[in-house]
Amino acid sequence: MNDLTIQLTDTGNICLYQQIYEHIKDEIRKGKLLEGEKLPSTRSLAEYLQVARSTVDFAYGQLVAEGYVEARPCKGYFVSHVEELFHFSDEWKNAMDLADNSPHAPENVKMQYDFSPHAISLKDFPYATWKKITKNILVDANSDMFALGDAQGDKELRETISRYLHSSRGVNCQPDQIIIGAGTDYLFMLLEKILGRHVPIAMENPTYKRAYRVFQSFAYEILPIPMDGSGIDVEELRKTKARVAYVMPSHQYPTGVVMPIGRRLELLKWAGEEEERYLIEDDYDSEFRYKGKPIPSLQASDRTGRVIYMGTFSKSIAPAIRVGYMVLPSKLLRVYRENCGFYASTVSRIDQQILNEFIRDGYFERYLNKMRKVYRNRHDFLLNQLSPFEKEFTVSGENAGLHILLRSKSHIQEEILIKTAAQAGVKVYGMRDACMREDNVNTAYANTLLMGYGALEEKELMEGITLLKKAWDIYL
């Protein structure tokens, strides 16, 4: 194919790269662009459309991220294989448009720099705004605010969260489907009551270890499923007796894999093959994506009520907020009301009202925009600082989240790298800690380190990397 006939409009409502992205995506979904068909090069399409080449690069990058297109080195871009492609509703389209077990350091060495993948920046938190909202709420407080409140959380906050999820993540839900709790641990506890005990649950390996430990405490039978470059291996999942699968499709922790649309459809198909099968979608940090627009949630593609959607404000606002939320399919919502409706809400009504106003009045959106810029700058700065490491390490998991991966090309053991870094006063984290069993480490992620940058400013990143260069000089 030499050209694509795309009618671009310069109205200012929709940017040019998004128009290109939407046109190609629609052509693929309608079957007008077939599997294996080659797209025009970014240069030729940019010349044909009379736009900057970077505009086409952004559009192609988003299509690759979502799995509609694959990039083949030295060959170009080709339409991917996507089974049973569905058609999104206009409502969904409009919504999208709006939008620790690490080896310890020697006791006599002080950790100067901690590259924790879980830490975030609190220096830029809008303390004055939060204080002002709190003060106004307490001044206007009435007796109703100090009553017990709804077990699922205040209706006003659930309505606000419902609108936010629909506009930013394409989640289709009613406020009545949302349950608010003090962190995901409490919501996992409710899930045990809803799904039942001794449920066989599949988890990506490696995975978010805290969720693994919580599920272990429920006496769930946990089934580690290997991953490939597209996420959880659905064929391996089919070989198990799993009734539930816990996944992070928009940005898997800790690998950083973004599940393409083809794999998402395979996963939804697996869930629909038998009754009482469900997917738990943990969308823990979808707000932080630095290239293209946010990837749609898996729940947005669910048409049969098989996805349990979970999120938290711990990373997007602050860990101390301790507010998480869960969106239940209608069938499980009925089970929740029968089995768990007597549990009182674990989040203070005052905190709920503060959070509601923070989101509803636009402060949250402005704060997110600011933090995306902060984290993007730190992300780019860290990648630049790591350029001298390219001889020994490959970098992956970039362009989203708050950490990147460093994998040793010569298979230096994680423990050695972590220990030598700690002796220099730098704390880094190993991929092995995120694996459910040490004898079950995915070879694709062996000898891999996690390096977070959320809590470190550029000066600290530079100084920390300088110490790592000295510590690992023998390998570089």
Side-chain angles (χ1 to χ4, degrees):
M1 173 179 287
N2 296 320
D3 298 310
L4 288 172
T5 304
I6 304 175
Q7 298 295 327
L8 298 180
T9 60
D10 192 16
T11 62
N13 294 327
I14 303 177
C15 58
L16 296 177
Y17 103 87
Q18 187 172 347
Q19 293 180 51
I20 298 171
Y21 153 80
E22 291 286 355
H23 176 86
I24 297 176
K25 183 177 71 172
D26 287 343
E27 292 291 281
I28 294 173
R29 287 160 56 186
K30 293 173 182 176
K32 296 181 179 180
L33 287 177
L34 303 178
E35 175 190 350
E37 191 167 356
K38 185 177 181 180
L39 298 181
S41 69
T42 56
R43 183 187 300 276
S44 66
L45 185 57
E47 290 177 354
Y48 176 77
L49 297 176
Q50 295 294 292
V51 298
R53 188 175 178 183
S54 59
T55 300
V56 180
D57 282 333
F58 278 130
Y60 277 22
Q62 184 71 22
L63 290 164
V64 170
E66 293 189 24
Y68 289 100
V69 170
E70 62 178 302
R72 299 178 187 173
C74 304
K75 292 184 178 180
Y77 294 89
F78 296 79
V79 177
S80 299
H81 171 66
V82 181
E83 291 185 348
E84 297 182 17
L85 198 60
F86 55 86
H87 294 277
F88 295 110
S89 66
D90 290 337
E91 183 183 16
W92 185 90
K93 290 181 186 177
N94 294 334
M96 284 308 302
D97 288 341
L98 293 174
D100 195 27
N101 294 322
S102 301
H104 296 289
E107 292 184 2
N108 61 337
V109 177
K110 180 181 178 182
M111 288 296 104
Q112 300 180 57
Y113 304 101
D114 186 350
F115 286 83
S116 170
H118 304 293
I120 68 171
S121 174
L122 294 176
K123 181 179 178 181
D124 299 293
F125 182 79
Y127 295 100
T129 299
W130 198 267
K131 182 178 179 181
K132 181 183 72 173
I133 295 173
T134 304
K135 181 180 178 180
N136 292 340
I137 286 174
L138 292 177
V139 167
D140 298 333
N142 54 46
S143 58
D144 290 341
M145 187 183 300
F146 294 93
L148 188 59
D150 194 308
Q152 290 183 222
D154 282 0
K155 186 174 182 180
E156 292 84 355
L157 178 57
R158 287 186 281 122
E159 288 173 345
T160 299
I161 291 176
S162 175
R163 289 193 297 270
Y164 164 70
L165 292 178
H166 189 65
S167 64
S168 66
R169 306 294 298 120
V171 172
N172 297 304
C173 70
Q174 298 298 320
D176 286 347
Q177 293 177 253
I178 297 176
I179 300 170
I180 296 168
T184 54
D185 292 358
Y186 168 75
L187 298 174
F188 284 145
M189 183 201 74
L190 290 181
L191 272 182
E192 185 204 16
K193 308 298 181 184
I194 296 168
L195 297 173
R197 296 179 59 83
H198 307 291
V199 172
I201 181 169
M203 299 186 75
E204 301 159 317
N205 194 33
T207 191
Y208 177 44
K209 203 64 171 287
R210 186 174 183 86
Y212 167 69
R213 288 174 177 149
V214 172
F215 289 143
Q216 264 190 325
S217 72
F218 298 156
Y220 278 0
E221 181 181 358
I222 300 176
L223 307 168
I225 307 297
M227 296 177 58
D228 57 26
S230 297
I232 190 169
D233 190 326
V234 179
E235 291 307 312
E236 290 297 319
L237 176 61
R238 279 199 172 91
K239 296 176 183 178
T240 71
K241 56 182 178 181
R243 217 187 91 197
V244 178
Y246 171 85
V247 293
M248 294 165 274
S250 293
H251 185 240
Q252 203 273 345
Y253 182 87
T255 65
V257 169
V258 176
M259 187 181 291
I261 190 171
R263 183 61 54 86
R264 292 173 184 234
L265 294 177
E266 290 178 34
L267 202 52
L268 288 168
K269 182 179 179 182
W270 170 84
E273 287 172 352
E274 291 186 16
E275 290 295 326
E276 306 302 327
R277 271 187 184 174
Y278 293 98
L279 302 168
I280 301 174
E281 177 182 13
D282 191 342
D283 206 13
Y284 69 100
D285 74 346
S286 59
E287 292 88 357
F288 302 119
R289 180 169 170 77
Y290 315 122
K291 190 175 181 181
K293 63 180 182 179
I295 303 298
S297 67
L298 179 65
Q299 196 270 2
S301 307
D302 181 24
R303 298 294 179 268
T304 58
R306 299 295 181 143
V307 176
I308 302 164
Y309 181 86
M310 302 186 72
T312 176
F313 293 104
S314 293
K315 281 207 169 187
S316 58
I317 299 181
I321 299 300
R322 300 302 299 159
V323 177
Y325 48 87
M326 175 168 63
V327 179
L328 290 177
S330 299
K331 185 175 180 179
L332 294 184
L333 181 62
R334 290 192 292 272
V335 178
Y336 160 80
R337 288 174 174 164
E338 292 172 4
N339 299 343
C340 312
F342 59 89
Y343 284 106
S345 176
T346 53
V347 182
S348 158
R349 295 194 69 195
I350 295 175
D351 290 340
Q352 290 187 59
Q353 192 158 340
I354 294 169
L355 180 59
N356 179 56
E357 291 197 17
F358 187 71
I359 301 173
R360 184 196 64 197
D361 295 347
Y363 298 110
F364 181 47
E365 183 178 2
R366 290 194 288 273
Y367 178 59
L368 276 183
N369 290 337
K370 176 182 178 180
M371 294 315 298
R372 284 191 194 100
K373 183 177 180 181
V374 169
Y375 291 140
R376 183 189 297 112
N377 289 340
R378 294 180 185 181
H379 163 275
D380 295 346
F381 185 83
L382 176 60
L383 292 181
N384 182 60
Q385 291 293 306
L386 289 173
S387 56
F389 292 66
E390 292 176 354
K391 178 181 177 182
E392 172 55 37
F393 297 96
T394 57
V395 178
S396 62
E398 67 274 33
N399 296 322
L402 299 177
H403 73 276
I404 54 97
L405 307 181
L406 281 184
R407 186 185 181 197
S408 169
K409 295 178 182 178
S410 56
H411 308 293
I412 305 169
Q413 293 182 3
E414 289 175 23
E415 292 79 2
I416 295 175
L417 293 169
I418 293 171
K419 184 176 181 180
T420 53
Q423 289 170 343
V426 180
K427 188 170 185 179
V428 294
Y429 297 76
M431 179 67 80
R432 188 176 295 273
D433 294 336
C435 295
M436 285 176 266
R437 294 199 302 265
E438 289 202 359
D439 62 342
N440 213 349
V441 178
N442 190 326
T443 55
Y445 300 106
N447 314 115
T448 301
L449 300 177
L450 282 67
M451 294 188 64
Y453 49 85
L456 299 175
E457 297 184 4
E458 291 186 4
K459 180 182 178 182
E460 295 171 311
L461 290 171
M462 181 177 66
E463 293 171 351
I465 295 299
T466 299
L467 292 178
L468 283 181
K469 288 178 185 175
K470 294 178 181 179
W472 297 340
D473 181 63
I474 188 174
Y475 309 120
L476 304 176

